[in-house]
Amino acid sequence: MITRRRAALVRYRVLPWWARVALIYGAARLVSTVIILAIAARQGPNPWTGAHPSYLDFATIWDGRWYFIVAMTGYPDQLPLTVDGHIGENAWAFMPVYPFLVRGLMVVTTLSWPAVSVAVSVIAGLGAALVFFKLMSRVLGDSQTAMFSVVLFSVAPVSALFQLSYAESLYTFLLVVGLYLVVLRRYGWLVPLIAVMALTRPSGLAFALFLGLHVIVRLVARRTDPFPWPERIAVSLIAVFSAAMGLLWPAIAGLVTGDLTAYTDTELAWRSAYIGYQHLVPFAPWFQGANWWMNSQSGFPTGGLVVVLLIAAFGLSLFIRPVRRLGVDLRLWVLSYGVYLLAVFFPQSSTFRLLMPMFPLLGAVAQPKSMVYRVSMVLVFVAAQTGWLLICWGVDGADWTPP
């Protein structure tokens, strides 16, 4: 048995890097499949399926149904209203690249939405894992640690999204390519990538902030890291372009529906069950959410204090040694995306999914070389993935824990 294991290990090590990444990713997807099937086997009737749904049916619930609606019928030109006159949940909250791509492939292949939407997610996730390895190899300078980063990336608590009908997998692929291009200083390719990425998941504003900070850092360090004028102008213009792309979808929603706040009002509809209908005030949602979750009705601002402590902990975490090893660019992205979430996102069970774009931090978690540590981290991640799927993906009556 030991001899066979050693032989298998030798065969694995002589494989090219891309084949090793594919094997790791494939094994992780098998683990996720087993977990999903086990949960589906005990799933009762729900708004999307009957009891004990098949894998593909179970993989297309929640937002997967909204993406299906977009793919089949597009977007409404009149916003739905609730009984008290507020804008209700509707398709404008879901950006078009993923559902329209799946729809196009459905036409070409004649396959069903569940089959094609899941396949797109799986393939995009594999592409993301491959580029993630190259990115980690570049910033860490250690292929073994980079490969373990891929292991963590593939079994992360929300990694099941790589095989569900959500746009996160495609967005993660586009984002990791974008980060890799910035690290390589291949700025020109960012323009088409940002144009697609910003219409896949809300990201244009966060990426614009990232590029703006990147320009500032390169200007400060120009004596040791030359930053010629053509590059300064190009990156600055691309940052402006990214900001414009970040505002494009809200503008399109406004033009089509005749309501300039159609997109933000639609997004706010999802948080109305928690705090009612309110206007979007930048940087207020986390404080509102903390007060709601902690039921802070007294004069002492417990929720606000917790948010301040979280912000401080997040900021300090960017300066610990393993995170510093990731390099300035990846830390700037994590900071920029964190600021974006703080500005617009209302914290609830979807927070775990919304943290997915901070995946570069997995390169910091992967750095300890102890085998006991690494095996333990994989087990912890798989357990957390199981918990996330049970709590957030499985449906239990009037479920308040959407993924």
Side-chain angles (χ1 to χ4, degrees):
M1 180 66 71
I2 295 177
T3 302
R4 289 181 179 178
R5 288 178 180 175
R6 287 179 177 173
L9 183 60
V10 169
R11 287 196 294 270
Y12 168 78
R13 287 178 173 173
V14 299
L15 290 173
W17 68 268
W18 54 266
R20 282 178 282 158
V21 169
L23 279 175
I24 291 169
Y25 179 80
R29 299 286 62 76
L30 286 176
V31 171
S32 296
T33 298
V34 170
I35 299 171
I36 292 169
L37 287 174
I39 296 173
R42 59 190 291 271
Q43 174 65 57
N46 58 82
W48 303 281
T49 74
H52 321 304
S54 67
Y55 177 87
L56 288 178
D57 286 341
F58 198 47
T60 55
I61 63 175
W62 293 108
D63 288 357
R65 184 56 57 93
W66 279 111
Y67 284 118
F68 173 73
I69 291 171
V70 171
M72 296 297 107
T73 63
Y75 296 92
D77 55 9
Q78 290 187 343
L79 296 171
L81 297 177
T82 64
V83 292
D84 51 358
H86 294 287
I87 292 175
E89 299 174 1
N90 66 86
W92 282 107
F94 303 90
M95 293 187 166
V97 169
Y98 174 73
F100 287 177
L101 171 63
V102 174
R103 175 62 176 167
L105 291 173
M106 288 170 62
V107 172
V108 172
T109 63
T110 70
L111 296 175
S112 66
W113 165 267
V116 179
S117 62
V118 170
V120 168
S121 291
V122 172
I123 294 169
L126 174 58
L130 291 167
V131 182
F132 185 60
F133 172 78
K134 298 295 289 183
L135 177 63
M136 290 295 102
S137 297
R138 176 83 179 191
V139 300
L140 296 175
D142 179 353
S143 62
Q144 290 186 350
T145 303
M147 196 61 73
F148 185 59
S149 299
V150 172
V151 174
L152 297 180
F153 180 82
S154 301
V155 300
V158 294
S159 61
L161 288 166
F162 290 136
Q163 55 193 89
L164 301 172
S165 291
Y166 270 52
E168 269 71 11
S169 187
L170 180 59
Y171 169 65
T172 300
F173 168 68
L174 296 168
L175 175 59
V176 71
V177 171
L179 295 175
Y180 191 43
L181 289 171
V182 173
V183 169
L184 295 178
R185 310 296 193 247
R186 303 286 182 83
Y187 300 119
W189 289 102
L190 288 173
V191 174
L193 184 135
I194 289 171
V196 177
M197 184 170 67
L199 294 176
T200 302
R201 288 282 305 153
S203 58
L205 297 179
F207 208 78
L209 176 59
F210 163 57
L211 291 177
L213 294 175
H214 174 79
V215 169
I216 293 172
V217 169
R218 288 207 64 188
L219 283 172
V220 172
R222 62 188 180 277
R223 290 185 179 179
T224 55
D225 180 15
F227 194 24
W229 273 104
E231 286 191 359
R232 298 182 197 182
I233 296 171
V235 184
S236 298
L237 290 176
I238 294 171
V240 173
F241 173 72
S242 184
M245 287 302 304
L247 298 173
L248 178 62
W249 188 243
I252 291 174
L255 288 173
V256 172
T257 63
D259 184 339
L260 294 180
T261 60
Y263 176 73
T264 52
D265 288 345
T266 295
E267 290 284 5
L268 291 172
W270 264 268
R271 69 185 66 170
S272 63
Y274 301 90
I275 59 174
Y277 290 91
Q278 299 185 20
H279 295 293
L280 177 62
V281 179
F283 298 102
W286 278 80
F287 294 94
Q288 294 169 338
N291 288 330
W292 187 88
W293 285 106
M294 301 185 72
N295 195 26
S296 299
Q297 302 296 329
S298 65
F300 187 76
T302 307
L305 179 60
V306 169
V307 173
V308 170
L309 291 175
L310 284 174
I311 293 171
F314 172 71
L316 291 173
S317 71
L318 297 178
F319 293 94
I320 63 176
R321 182 175 297 178
V323 178
R324 291 204 312 269
R325 279 198 63 197
L326 298 176
V328 174
D329 290 325
L330 296 187
R331 291 160 66 204
L332 288 177
W333 162 250
V334 172
L335 172 63
S336 300
Y337 186 71
V339 170
Y340 173 76
L341 284 187
L342 181 65
V344 302
F345 182 66
F346 180 85
Q348 28 87 5
S349 55
S350 295
T351 303
F352 303 107
R353 172 172 61 89
L354 270 291
L355 292 176
M356 193 174 184
M358 292 189 177
F359 59 80
L361 293 176
L362 293 173
V365 181
Q367 290 173 33
K369 298 185 182 298
S370 164
M371 185 56 66
V372 173
Y373 168 84
R374 291 188 168 185
V375 171
S376 298
M377 288 306 303
V378 171
L379 294 176
V380 168
F381 274 33
V382 171
Q385 182 183 162
T386 303
W388 180 77
L389 285 166
L390 279 169
I391 295 170
C392 294
W393 195 261
V395 186
D396 183 16
D399 203 313
W400 274 54
T401 57

